[in-house]
Amino acid sequence: MKQSRRDLLKASGGVTVMALAASAGMLKSGSLHAQEWNKAAFDTKSLQDTVKALGGTTAIESKDITITSPDIAENGAVVPVSVTSRLGKTEAISILVEKNPNALSAAFDIPGGTEPFVSTRVKMGQTSNVHALVKADGKYFYATKEIKVTLGGCGG
């Protein structure tokens, strides 16, 4: 099979960009590899179990965490949820759905110097409390919001 010049340029373009980024110091050693998955945290069933699996001891309720989502989700398969933290030194934000088979739905590391805000969509099988768990300055904090689901997203 004969490869055209265009195909060769397309194939090598990504490698070239990554090499240039690495040589400019934009990539750290090992930064191209995915972070190790904390399977134990994603197997938890409650907020406190999740805190412990993530390395904490307890979580404190905080008014400095805002959960933005619809009060009523028509389709539990795609429920938009955004979390904003006004806590100083926010390191991580996680989203938990209390009545799902596994509570932890999403976990995000927040690099220093960035805005502590995440937005995603979660799947909800039924009406449930949604918890935003924030790690800030080595401590865990949370906020809770109930989201009503009219059509379950987990096969219901």
Side-chain angles (χ1 to χ4, degrees):
M1 182 166 99
K2 192 170 159 184
Q3 188 174 25
S4 70
R5 179 174 173 251
R6 181 174 300 203
D7 291 336
L8 179 63
L9 289 173
K10 277 199 284 187
S12 65
V15 174
T16 303
V17 169
M18 296 306 275
L20 287 171
S23 67
M26 296 171 70
L27 295 176
K28 296 178 186 166
S29 176
S31 66
L32 295 177
H33 301 289
Q35 179 181 0
E36 189 173 319
W37 177 7
N38 186 344
K39 183 174 178 353
F42 280 92
D43 285 340
T44 59
K45 306 293 182 203
S46 71
L47 175 67
Q48 290 305 323
D49 289 345
T50 304
V51 171
K52 289 177 184 169
L54 292 173
T57 55
T58 188
I60 303 163
E61 192 167 9
S62 174
K63 303 264 185 220
D64 291 324
I65 302 168
T66 305
I67 301 172
T68 305
S69 66
D71 293 330
I72 300 173
E74 291 184 24
N75 183 354
V78 286
V79 180
V81 177
S82 298
V83 177
T84 304
S85 170
R86 290 181 303 282
L87 296 164
K89 299 181 183 177
T90 296
E91 303 168 28
I93 297 175
S94 301
I95 299 171
L96 294 82
V97 180
E98 191 173 90
K99 291 186 181 176
N100 275 4
N102 298 65
L104 185 57
S105 294
F108 304 91
D109 288 330
I110 307 298
T114 60
E115 183 179 351
F117 168 81
V118 297
S119 183
T120 190
R121 293 183 180 156
V122 297
K123 187 179 274 194
M124 297 178 64
Q126 59 185 305
T127 296
S128 178
N129 285 331
V130 172
H131 304 289
L133 179 64
V134 174
K135 181 180 181 184
D137 200 21
K139 299 178 185 117
Y140 286 89
F141 303 88
Y142 74 95
T144 303
K145 178 178 182 178
E146 182 183 53
I147 300 175
K148 294 180 169 66
V149 176
T150 57
L151 176 64
C154 298

